[in-house]
Amino acid sequence: MPRRGLVAGPDFGCFKRRYFTPSEVAEHNQPEDLWVSYLGFVYNLTPLVQEFKGDLLLKPILEVAGQDISHWFDPKTKDIRKHIDPLTGCVRYRTPRGRFVHIPPPLPRSDWANDFGIPWWKGLNYQVGRLSAQTRNIRIINTLTSQEHTLE
């Protein structure tokens, strides 16, 4: 006989968090668990690191693990910032920490393959949520037991 009055609740396993604080992103700062944020979104780059494991082009990304890298991007185009190379007069990507994965070399090379499809910063498959712009600490005090908790 079915039980009356009980309703099945939502399945919380399928819900995704939508917002993350900068301190939560900063916790993911290892190559095995690497997150970055840019232009208001949070990205999990762990699969990218696993795919290119041991590649020297990962070094700039590993150096900024858990940090905001919005200064790498043009907010209007949502692409890596570009500049005109004074020596060649060509438009090049501006990479202050050095060339990284999916950035073409400065000069034409026969060993660089551009058949990877969409660069990692343009694909949505690494996006896990949005970055909280402003966070506040809230202190909750239980007046009966004098317990204190601080929430961000």
Side-chain angles (χ1 to χ4, degrees):
M1 177 176 214
R3 296 174 68 173
R4 297 181 59 187
L6 296 177
V7 178
D11 180 20
F12 288 110
C14 65
F15 286 105
K16 290 185 177 180
R17 289 189 56 191
R18 295 187 180 146
Y19 287 90
F20 296 92
T21 63
S23 61
E24 289 173 324
V25 174
E27 292 174 3
H28 302 274
N29 60 2
Q30 299 299 320
E32 307 82 34
D33 183 26
L34 192 146
W35 287 18
V36 295
S37 63
Y38 59 90
L39 302 177
F41 291 94
V42 177
Y43 296 85
N44 180 2
L45 298 184
T46 308
L48 181 77
V49 171
Q50 296 302 322
E51 182 182 347
F52 291 94
K53 191 171 190 171
D55 195 341
L56 188 61
L57 295 177
L58 275 179
K59 186 179 178 213
I61 296 172
L62 294 173
E63 289 175 351
V64 296
Q67 299 176 22
D68 186 69
I69 56 171
S70 294
H71 60 281
W72 288 10
F73 297 89
D74 183 3
K76 293 178 184 172
T77 63
K78 300 194 180 357
D79 196 8
I80 303 289
R81 290 184 187 266
K82 297 178 182 174
H83 74 285
I84 297 177
D85 187 2
L87 297 175
T88 62
C90 297
V91 176
R92 289 187 42 202
Y93 286 108
R94 184 182 152 267
T95 53
R97 291 185 174 262
R99 191 173 148 238
F100 51 86
V101 177
H102 296 165
I103 294 287
L107 299 172
R109 293 174 54 170
S110 61
D111 63 344
W112 187 72
N114 62 351
D115 58 352
F116 49 80
I118 299 173
W120 63 264
W121 61 87
K122 289 186 179 179
L124 297 177
N125 51 340
Y126 297 115
Q127 185 176 333
V128 292
R130 293 188 62 102
L131 184 68
S132 296
Q134 295 179 341
T135 60
R136 295 180 182 173
N137 289 331
I138 300 172
R139 191 172 64 160
I140 299 174
I141 302 172
N142 185 338
T143 56
L144 293 175
T145 62
S146 299
Q147 291 178 331
E148 238 180 81
H149 293 285
T150 304
L151 304 174
E152 185 175 13

